[in-house]
Short mmCIF file of all heavy atoms in Angstrom, two decimals:
data_model
loop_
_atom_site.label_atom_id
_atom_site.label_comp_id
_atom_site.label_asym_id
_atom_site.label_seq_id
_atom_site.Cartn_x
_atom_site.Cartn_y
_atom_site.Cartn_z
N GLN D 126 20.71 7.96 13.44
CA GLN D 126 19.78 6.97 13.96
C GLN D 126 19.39 6.00 12.85
O GLN D 126 19.45 6.34 11.67
CB GLN D 126 18.50 7.63 14.47
CG GLN D 126 18.67 8.69 15.52
CD GLN D 126 17.33 9.30 15.88
OE1 GLN D 126 16.41 8.64 16.34
NE2 GLN D 126 17.20 10.60 15.65
N GLY D 127 18.96 4.81 13.25
CA GLY D 127 18.39 3.89 12.28
C GLY D 127 19.34 2.82 11.79
O GLY D 127 20.41 2.57 12.35
N VAL D 128 18.92 2.18 10.70
CA VAL D 128 19.61 1.02 10.14
C VAL D 128 20.53 1.48 9.01
O VAL D 128 20.14 2.27 8.16
CB VAL D 128 18.60 -0.01 9.61
CG1 VAL D 128 19.32 -1.24 9.06
CG2 VAL D 128 17.63 -0.41 10.71
N GLU D 129 21.74 0.95 9.00
CA GLU D 129 22.68 1.29 7.94
C GLU D 129 22.23 0.70 6.61
O GLU D 129 21.64 -0.38 6.54
CB GLU D 129 24.07 0.74 8.28
CG GLU D 129 24.71 1.40 9.49
CD GLU D 129 26.07 0.78 9.80
OE1 GLU D 129 26.26 -0.41 9.49
OE2 GLU D 129 26.93 1.49 10.35
N LEU D 130 22.54 1.43 5.52
CA LEU D 130 22.21 0.94 4.18
C LEU D 130 23.39 0.19 3.56
O LEU D 130 23.19 -0.73 2.77
CB LEU D 130 21.83 2.12 3.27
CG LEU D 130 20.64 2.96 3.72
CD1 LEU D 130 20.33 4.03 2.67
CD2 LEU D 130 19.42 2.10 3.98
N PHE D 131 24.60 0.60 3.92
CA PHE D 131 25.79 0.00 3.32
C PHE D 131 26.74 -0.48 4.41
O PHE D 131 26.84 0.13 5.48
CB PHE D 131 26.49 1.02 2.41
CG PHE D 131 25.63 1.50 1.28
CD1 PHE D 131 25.01 2.75 1.34
CD2 PHE D 131 25.42 0.71 0.15
CE1 PHE D 131 24.20 3.19 0.31
CE2 PHE D 131 24.60 1.15 -0.88
CZ PHE D 131 23.99 2.39 -0.81
N LEU D 132 27.44 -1.57 4.12
CA LEU D 132 28.39 -2.13 5.06
C LEU D 132 29.64 -1.25 5.12
O LEU D 132 29.95 -0.51 4.17
CB LEU D 132 28.77 -3.55 4.64
CG LEU D 132 27.60 -4.53 4.53
CD1 LEU D 132 28.09 -5.88 4.04
CD2 LEU D 132 26.87 -4.66 5.86
N GLU D 133 30.37 -1.35 6.22
CA GLU D 133 31.52 -0.48 6.44
C GLU D 133 32.57 -0.60 5.34
O GLU D 133 33.16 0.39 4.91
CB GLU D 133 32.15 -0.79 7.80
CG GLU D 133 33.31 0.11 8.16
CD GLU D 133 33.87 -0.20 9.52
OE1 GLU D 133 33.32 -1.09 10.21
OE2 GLU D 133 34.87 0.47 9.92
N TYR D 134 32.77 -1.81 4.86
CA TYR D 134 33.82 -2.02 3.86
C TYR D 134 33.24 -2.33 2.48
O TYR D 134 33.86 -2.97 1.63
CB TYR D 134 34.74 -3.16 4.31
CG TYR D 134 35.45 -2.84 5.60
CD1 TYR D 134 35.09 -3.46 6.78
CD2 TYR D 134 36.46 -1.87 5.64
CE1 TYR D 134 35.72 -3.15 7.98
CE2 TYR D 134 37.09 -1.55 6.83
CZ TYR D 134 36.72 -2.19 8.00
OH TYR D 134 37.35 -1.88 9.18
N GLY D 135 32.03 -1.83 2.24
CA GLY D 135 31.41 -1.99 0.92
C GLY D 135 30.32 -3.03 0.91
O GLY D 135 30.29 -3.95 1.73
N GLY D 136 29.42 -2.89 -0.05
CA GLY D 136 28.31 -3.83 -0.17
C GLY D 136 27.07 -3.35 0.56
O GLY D 136 27.12 -2.49 1.44
N ASN D 137 25.94 -3.92 0.15
CA ASN D 137 24.66 -3.55 0.74
C ASN D 137 24.44 -4.26 2.07
O ASN D 137 24.83 -5.42 2.25
CB ASN D 137 23.50 -3.92 -0.19
CG ASN D 137 23.56 -3.19 -1.52
OD1 ASN D 137 24.25 -2.18 -1.65
ND2 ASN D 137 22.83 -3.69 -2.51
N SER D 138 23.79 -3.57 2.99
CA SER D 138 23.38 -4.21 4.24
C SER D 138 22.23 -5.16 3.94
O SER D 138 21.59 -5.09 2.88
CB SER D 138 22.93 -3.16 5.25
OG SER D 138 21.72 -2.54 4.82
N GLN D 139 21.96 -6.05 4.87
CA GLN D 139 20.83 -6.98 4.69
C GLN D 139 19.52 -6.21 4.60
O GLN D 139 18.61 -6.59 3.85
CB GLN D 139 20.76 -7.97 5.85
CG GLN D 139 19.69 -9.05 5.67
CD GLN D 139 19.86 -9.85 4.40
OE1 GLN D 139 20.93 -10.40 4.14
NE2 GLN D 139 18.82 -9.93 3.57
N TYR D 140 19.42 -5.11 5.34
CA TYR D 140 18.21 -4.28 5.27
C TYR D 140 17.99 -3.75 3.86
O TYR D 140 16.87 -3.83 3.33
CB TYR D 140 18.33 -3.11 6.25
CG TYR D 140 17.26 -2.06 6.08
CD1 TYR D 140 15.94 -2.30 6.43
CD2 TYR D 140 17.57 -0.80 5.56
CE1 TYR D 140 14.96 -1.34 6.27
CE2 TYR D 140 16.60 0.18 5.40
CZ TYR D 140 15.30 -0.09 5.75
OH TYR D 140 14.33 0.86 5.59
N LEU D 141 19.03 -3.26 3.22
CA LEU D 141 18.89 -2.74 1.87
C LEU D 141 18.58 -3.85 0.88
O LEU D 141 17.81 -3.65 -0.07
CB LEU D 141 20.15 -1.98 1.44
CG LEU D 141 20.09 -1.25 0.09
CD1 LEU D 141 18.90 -0.31 0.04
CD2 LEU D 141 21.39 -0.49 -0.17
N GLU D 142 19.15 -5.03 1.08
CA GLU D 142 18.83 -6.17 0.22
C GLU D 142 17.35 -6.52 0.35
O GLU D 142 16.67 -6.83 -0.65
CB GLU D 142 19.69 -7.38 0.59
CG GLU D 142 21.17 -7.23 0.25
CD GLU D 142 21.41 -7.26 -1.25
OE1 GLU D 142 20.55 -7.74 -2.01
OE2 GLU D 142 22.49 -6.78 -1.69
N ASP D 143 16.83 -6.47 1.57
CA ASP D 143 15.40 -6.75 1.79
C ASP D 143 14.53 -5.71 1.11
O ASP D 143 13.48 -6.03 0.53
CB ASP D 143 15.10 -6.80 3.29
CG ASP D 143 15.75 -7.99 3.98
OD1 ASP D 143 16.15 -8.95 3.29
OD2 ASP D 143 15.88 -7.95 5.22
N ILE D 144 14.95 -4.45 1.19
CA ILE D 144 14.21 -3.37 0.54
C ILE D 144 14.19 -3.57 -0.97
O ILE D 144 13.16 -3.38 -1.64
CB ILE D 144 14.82 -2.00 0.89
CG1 ILE D 144 14.49 -1.62 2.34
CG2 ILE D 144 14.33 -0.91 -0.06
CD1 ILE D 144 13.02 -1.37 2.62
N ALA D 145 15.32 -3.97 -1.54
CA ALA D 145 15.40 -4.20 -2.98
C ALA D 145 14.42 -5.30 -3.40
O ALA D 145 13.75 -5.18 -4.44
CB ALA D 145 16.83 -4.57 -3.38
N ALA D 146 14.31 -6.35 -2.59
CA ALA D 146 13.38 -7.44 -2.90
C ALA D 146 11.93 -6.96 -2.80
O ALA D 146 11.09 -7.31 -3.63
CB ALA D 146 13.62 -8.61 -1.95
N ILE D 147 11.64 -6.13 -1.80
CA ILE D 147 10.29 -5.58 -1.65
C ILE D 147 9.94 -4.71 -2.84
O ILE D 147 8.83 -4.81 -3.40
CB ILE D 147 10.20 -4.77 -0.33
CG1 ILE D 147 10.17 -5.70 0.87
CG2 ILE D 147 8.96 -3.87 -0.34
CD1 ILE D 147 10.24 -4.98 2.21
N LEU D 148 10.86 -3.86 -3.26
CA LEU D 148 10.61 -2.98 -4.40
C LEU D 148 10.35 -3.76 -5.68
O LEU D 148 9.48 -3.40 -6.48
CB LEU D 148 11.78 -2.02 -4.59
CG LEU D 148 11.94 -0.91 -3.55
CD1 LEU D 148 13.24 -0.16 -3.76
CD2 LEU D 148 10.76 0.05 -3.60
N GLU D 149 11.10 -4.84 -5.88
CA GLU D 149 10.92 -5.65 -7.08
C GLU D 149 9.54 -6.32 -7.07
O GLU D 149 8.82 -6.32 -8.07
CB GLU D 149 12.02 -6.70 -7.16
CG GLU D 149 12.06 -7.47 -8.47
CD GLU D 149 12.54 -6.63 -9.65
OE1 GLU D 149 12.99 -5.48 -9.45
OE2 GLU D 149 12.44 -7.14 -10.79
N THR D 150 9.17 -6.88 -5.92
CA THR D 150 7.84 -7.51 -5.80
C THR D 150 6.74 -6.48 -6.00
O THR D 150 5.74 -6.73 -6.69
CB THR D 150 7.70 -8.16 -4.41
OG1 THR D 150 8.71 -9.15 -4.24
CG2 THR D 150 6.33 -8.81 -4.26
N LEU D 151 6.92 -5.32 -5.40
CA LEU D 151 5.92 -4.26 -5.50
C LEU D 151 5.78 -3.77 -6.93
O LEU D 151 4.67 -3.52 -7.42
CB LEU D 151 6.31 -3.12 -4.57
CG LEU D 151 5.29 -2.02 -4.30
CD1 LEU D 151 4.03 -2.59 -3.67
CD2 LEU D 151 5.90 -0.95 -3.38
N HIS D 152 6.91 -3.61 -7.62
CA HIS D 152 6.89 -3.15 -9.01
C HIS D 152 6.04 -4.06 -9.88
O HIS D 152 5.14 -3.61 -10.60
CB HIS D 152 8.32 -3.07 -9.54
CG HIS D 152 8.41 -2.83 -11.02
ND1 HIS D 152 8.16 -1.60 -11.59
CD2 HIS D 152 8.69 -3.68 -12.06
CE1 HIS D 152 8.29 -1.69 -12.90
NE2 HIS D 152 8.61 -2.93 -13.21
N HIS D 153 6.32 -5.35 -9.82
CA HIS D 153 5.58 -6.30 -10.66
C HIS D 153 4.12 -6.41 -10.21
O HIS D 153 3.22 -6.54 -11.05
CB HIS D 153 6.26 -7.67 -10.63
CG HIS D 153 7.60 -7.68 -11.31
ND1 HIS D 153 7.75 -7.52 -12.67
CD2 HIS D 153 8.86 -7.83 -10.81
CE1 HIS D 153 9.02 -7.58 -13.00
NE2 HIS D 153 9.72 -7.75 -11.89
N GLY D 154 3.90 -6.36 -8.89
CA GLY D 154 2.53 -6.47 -8.39
C GLY D 154 1.66 -5.31 -8.82
O GLY D 154 0.52 -5.51 -9.29
N LEU D 155 2.17 -4.08 -8.69
CA LEU D 155 1.37 -2.91 -9.06
C LEU D 155 1.16 -2.83 -10.56
O LEU D 155 0.11 -2.38 -11.03
CB LEU D 155 2.05 -1.63 -8.54
CG LEU D 155 2.11 -1.49 -7.02
CD1 LEU D 155 2.80 -0.20 -6.62
CD2 LEU D 155 0.73 -1.57 -6.39
N GLN D 156 2.16 -3.29 -11.34
CA GLN D 156 1.97 -3.35 -12.79
C GLN D 156 0.82 -4.28 -13.16
O GLN D 156 0.06 -4.02 -14.09
CB GLN D 156 3.25 -3.82 -13.47
CG GLN D 156 4.26 -2.72 -13.76
CD GLN D 156 5.30 -3.13 -14.77
OE1 GLN D 156 5.67 -4.29 -14.87
NE2 GLN D 156 5.78 -2.17 -15.56
N GLY D 157 0.70 -5.38 -12.42
CA GLY D 157 -0.35 -6.35 -12.70
C GLY D 157 -1.74 -5.88 -12.34
O GLY D 157 -2.73 -6.49 -12.75
N ASN D 158 -1.83 -4.79 -11.57
CA ASN D 158 -3.15 -4.28 -11.18
C ASN D 158 -3.98 -3.85 -12.39
O ASN D 158 -5.22 -3.92 -12.36
CB ASN D 158 -3.01 -3.11 -10.22
CG ASN D 158 -2.88 -3.56 -8.77
OD1 ASN D 158 -3.20 -4.70 -8.45
ND2 ASN D 158 -2.42 -2.67 -7.92
N ASP D 159 -3.32 -3.36 -13.43
CA ASP D 159 -4.07 -2.88 -14.60
C ASP D 159 -4.93 -4.00 -15.19
O ASP D 159 -6.12 -3.79 -15.48
CB ASP D 159 -3.11 -2.34 -15.66
CG ASP D 159 -2.49 -1.01 -15.29
OD1 ASP D 159 -3.00 -0.37 -14.34
OD2 ASP D 159 -1.51 -0.60 -15.93
N ASN D 160 -4.35 -5.17 -15.37
CA ASN D 160 -5.10 -6.29 -15.94
C ASN D 160 -6.21 -6.74 -15.01
O ASN D 160 -7.31 -7.08 -15.45
CB ASN D 160 -4.15 -7.46 -16.24
CG ASN D 160 -3.23 -7.18 -17.41
OD1 ASN D 160 -3.53 -6.36 -18.28
ND2 ASN D 160 -2.10 -7.85 -17.44
#
Side-chain angles (χ1 to χ4, degrees):
Q126 304 177 61
V128 182
E129 293 178 332
L130 301 184
F131 300 102
L132 302 177
E133 183 178 357
Y134 298 107
N137 298 343
S138 68
Q139 185 58 54
Y140 169 71
L141 186 54
E142 291 290 341
D143 292 342
I144 287 294
I147 287 174
L148 288 172
E149 189 70 8
T150 300
L151 191 60
H152 170 75
H153 292 292
L155 294 180
Q156 275 197 329
N158 274 343
D159 287 346
N160 289 336

